[in-house]
Amino acid sequence: MRFGKDYLEGADPKPIAAMFSLNAVDELDNATFIWVGPTIAAGFGVGVGSFGIISVLVLLIAPLIAIPVSLYADRSKRMPVALIAAATWGVFSLGSGLAPYLWLFIIARVGSSFGRVVSYPVQLSLIADFYAPSVRT
């Protein structure tokens, strides 16, 4: 069984490890939002159903921003776009944890989703940039 640089045919494993870590954090963020959502909703004094509207806003707004940014990343250097998206995601995720008001929490969740949604297509392109087709199959 090949592992590490042998599996990647000598390519650096750090980019794929970083992208794997970002994806793991994304899954944890989503799961936490689902698990702790009722407690957060109660803290803001709204019902769980009303709180679910945040998810709908994220699903509607994030792709509107992500599509043009992803197109830009496809036509320019991808690494700066990926780093900015990851930093945006991190800052807004931190903001969602520190938000004292519901409207700030909503802005933070939408901003967090923007970084996350932009990161995904850019990461796929970066995998194609960093690794040969034989490694990606």
Side-chain angles (χ1 to χ4, degrees), residues 63-122:
L64 296 176
I65 298 168
I67 291 170
V69 173
S70 298
L71 288 172
Y72 171 77
D74 193 44
R75 291 167 175 76
S76 65
K77 292 185 178 185
R78 294 178 181 102
M79 188 56 77
V81 175
L83 292 173
I84 290 168
T88 301
W89 178 24
V91 167
F92 278 105
S93 291
L94 179 64
S96 68
L98 299 174
Y101 305 106
L102 182 60
W103 64 272
L104 284 174
F105 183 77
I106 292 169
I107 290 170
R109 291 305 296 177
V110 170
S112 171
S113 70
F114 159 71
R116 182 175 51 232
V117 171
V118 169
S119 289
Y120 183 71
V122 174

Side-chain angles (χ1 to χ4, degrees), residues 33-46:
F33 188 69
I34 291 168
W35 294 334
V36 187
T39 305
I40 296 170
F44 287 123
V46 296

Side-chain angles (χ1 to χ4, degrees), residues 1 3 6 12 16 19 22 24 31 46 48 57 60 62-64 90 97 106 116 126 131-132 134:
M1 180 172 173
F3 186 73
D6 290 337
D12 189 6
I16 198 71
M19 290 179 224
L22 284 172
V46 296
V48 176
L57 284 173
L60 293 175
L64 296 176
I106 292 169
R116 182 175 51 232
L126 284 172
Y131 302 105
S134 61

Side-chain angles (χ1 to χ4, degrees), residues 25-38 40 51 109:
V25 170
D26 175 39
E27 294 298 324
L28 180 62
D29 181 58
N30 290 335
T32 302
F33 188 69
I34 291 168
W35 294 334
V36 187
I40 296 170
F51 197 69
R109 291 305 296 177

